[in-house]
Amino acid sequence: MLYLTMVLAFITSILLTPIVKRIAFRVGAVDRPNYRKVHARIMPRLGGLAIFGSFLIAYFILKPQDPISNAIEASFIPIETAIIIGALLIIITGVLDDMYEISAKAKLLGQLVAAGIVVVGGGLEISFINLPFGGVLDFGYLSIPLTILWIVGITNAINLIDGLDGLAAGVSTVALLTLAAMAFIMGDVYVMSMAALLAASTSGFLVYNFHPAKIFMGDTGALFLGFMISVLALMGFKNVTVVALIIPIIMLGVPISDTFFAIVRRVREKKSISEADKSHLHHCLLNIGFSHSQTVLIIYGIAALFGLAALLFSQATLWGGILLISVMLVAIELFVEVVGLAGKNYRPLLNLVKFIGK
């Protein structure tokens, strides 16, 4: 049944996207070119509505349920209901921003309320973690704000990488497929089903969003995908160990690392952390000579490597996991150095990077 519903979500997304495109032009939800944008013509936004609509249709047909949702003591409403309500609020926030470009504070407020519905209303929170060498770290009163911070942080991380045709949609699809695979291994049918349906919906949208894009997902799509990925990642690792919490961080390595470096860069340059710039990973790859499609495909590949690393980490021993993380950190640092040097016209290194990119 899941496979048939995934096919339905994929086809529905393909059918809904052109309709949403016409609606976007009609209501003025368009993205105009400027010095920071890569595209050179007016593009319709709101594409996230097609992803959300196709996912919602498939969701109500399949009706996946979390078997332990009713056992969550702090839950006021079933977690499944809380997620859908939170997602709907995120969609409304995104639509308002795509149409009227609301302030960063207003967007943040919408995200906080949506996260609060899931955490406070649905009872989804990480209250403690078991430390790898013994003992327990109890978050106490910080458990709710820390869980909300995770949801809002990942939501914005996906939004930040939405800078090239098909980039955020493709990276999100890779993350969702990784999440579905890990949920399958752990026997979590609910998370597996939700992630798989989202991946199918996003893949259908990619038919129109990959370069050259005919429509953008806008904040409607980026915020929705970020919200859903953050929530499902938390639900997928309920055994509250340090290892379990590291897995989703590895899985979302591309948006998290890009956001981390963006914050460091803006703090160093004494700018607001919410101020946009053209120094994200995709901008750097474009600057050193890769084409639009090559840049997107390279980042897809990096996201897939992070996903594979997360799968390996979930099956590794403690020391094997530590070794894997160490190798990953060294690899990230080397990649950052390579891109940085290549961007300064270090020709031999640039040629090597281009060769690997092929």
Side-chain angles (χ1 to χ4, degrees):
M1 182 66 177
L2 174 60
Y3 299 116
L4 292 176
T5 316
M6 288 177 64
V7 172
L8 174 65
F10 178 77
I11 295 174
T12 305
S13 183
I14 292 176
L15 295 176
L16 285 178
T17 302
I19 299 173
V20 171
K21 179 182 176 182
R22 289 194 290 270
I23 293 174
F25 276 122
R26 183 166 296 181
V27 300
V30 295
D31 198 337
R32 302 180 185 279
N34 60 35
Y35 78 97
R36 196 177 60 84
K37 305 292 179 63
V38 176
H39 62 281
R41 59 191 176 92
I42 296 176
M43 292 290 294
R45 295 192 284 197
L46 285 183
L49 278 180
I51 299 174
F52 178 66
S54 56
F55 164 75
L56 210 58
I57 291 171
Y59 170 82
F60 282 115
I61 291 175
L62 189 62
K63 294 180 180 177
Q65 290 187 333
D66 182 23
I68 70 166
S69 63
N70 294 326
I72 301 177
E73 294 181 1
S75 173
F76 292 102
I77 55 177
I79 186 64
E80 304 96 327
T81 304
I83 291 173
I84 296 300
I85 295 173
L88 183 59
L89 183 56
I90 284 288
I91 286 292
I92 293 171
T93 303
V95 168
L96 289 175
D97 188 58
D98 286 338
M99 291 178 62
Y100 304 112
E101 296 187 2
I102 60 178
S103 68
K105 290 182 180 179
K107 281 198 292 185
L108 179 60
L109 177 61
Q111 295 168 38
L112 288 171
V113 175
I117 290 172
V118 173
V119 176
V120 179
L124 179 65
E125 63 178 280
I126 302 299
S127 56
F128 68 92
I129 56 173
N130 297 310
L131 300 176
F133 298 105
V136 175
L137 177 61
D138 193 335
F139 293 124
Y141 292 111
L142 293 177
S143 60
I144 289 179
L146 285 176
T147 307
I148 290 176
L149 180 63
W150 162 267
I151 295 174
V152 173
I154 298 303
T155 299
N156 283 284
I158 298 296
N159 195 29
L160 279 176
I161 65 169
D162 187 23
L164 294 180
D165 297 353
L167 183 55
V171 170
S172 296
T173 301
V174 172
L176 287 164
L177 291 174
T178 303
L179 186 55
M182 299 184 76
F184 173 77
I185 293 172
M186 295 185 296
D188 192 329
V189 177
Y190 176 76
V191 172
M192 179 189 71
S193 300
M194 294 286 280
L197 293 180
L198 268 173
S201 299
T202 309
S203 298
F205 175 73
L206 264 173
V207 173
Y208 298 93
N209 186 234
F210 194 79
H211 186 69
K214 299 176 179 63
I215 184 174
F216 293 159
M217 67 165 62
D219 275 20
T220 306
L223 294 179
F224 169 63
L225 289 175
F227 174 79
M228 293 298 294
I229 289 171
S230 65
V231 170
L232 292 176
L234 278 181
M235 294 188 68
F237 305 97
K238 301 185 184 78
N239 55 345
V240 290
T241 63
V242 171
V243 172
L245 291 178
I246 290 175
I247 291 172
I249 295 175
I250 297 174
M251 180 181 67
L252 297 168
V254 169
I256 288 177
S257 60
D258 196 40
T259 301
F260 172 77
F261 286 120
I263 292 173
V264 171
R265 182 172 63 249
R266 290 165 190 174
V267 169
R268 187 181 66 236
E269 296 173 356
K270 298 180 179 179
K271 296 180 179 178
S272 169
I273 61 173
S274 62
E275 183 177 342
D277 59 29
K278 291 194 71 172
S279 298
H280 289 284
L281 174 59
H282 53 275
H283 291 128
C284 293
L285 290 173
L286 287 172
N287 291 339
I288 65 176
F290 288 111
S291 69
H292 195 124
S293 297
Q294 286 174 329
T295 297
V296 172
L297 291 174
I298 288 172
I299 298 178
Y300 283 3
I302 297 172
L305 289 175
F306 273 116
L308 178 61
L311 286 170
L312 292 175
F313 187 84
S314 68
Q315 304 301 311
T317 61
L318 175 61
W319 291 109
I322 292 174
L323 176 62
L324 180 61
I325 289 178
S326 301
V327 171
M328 285 182 59
L329 290 174
V330 172
I332 291 172
E333 176 61 24
L334 288 174
F335 182 77
V336 170
E337 293 295 333
V338 166
V339 172
L341 286 173
K344 295 176 182 177
N345 294 320
Y346 192 80
R347 301 308 303 179
L349 197 54
L350 174 56
N351 291 333
L352 173 63
V353 175
K354 283 190 173 183
F355 176 76
I356 295 175
K358 294 178 181 178

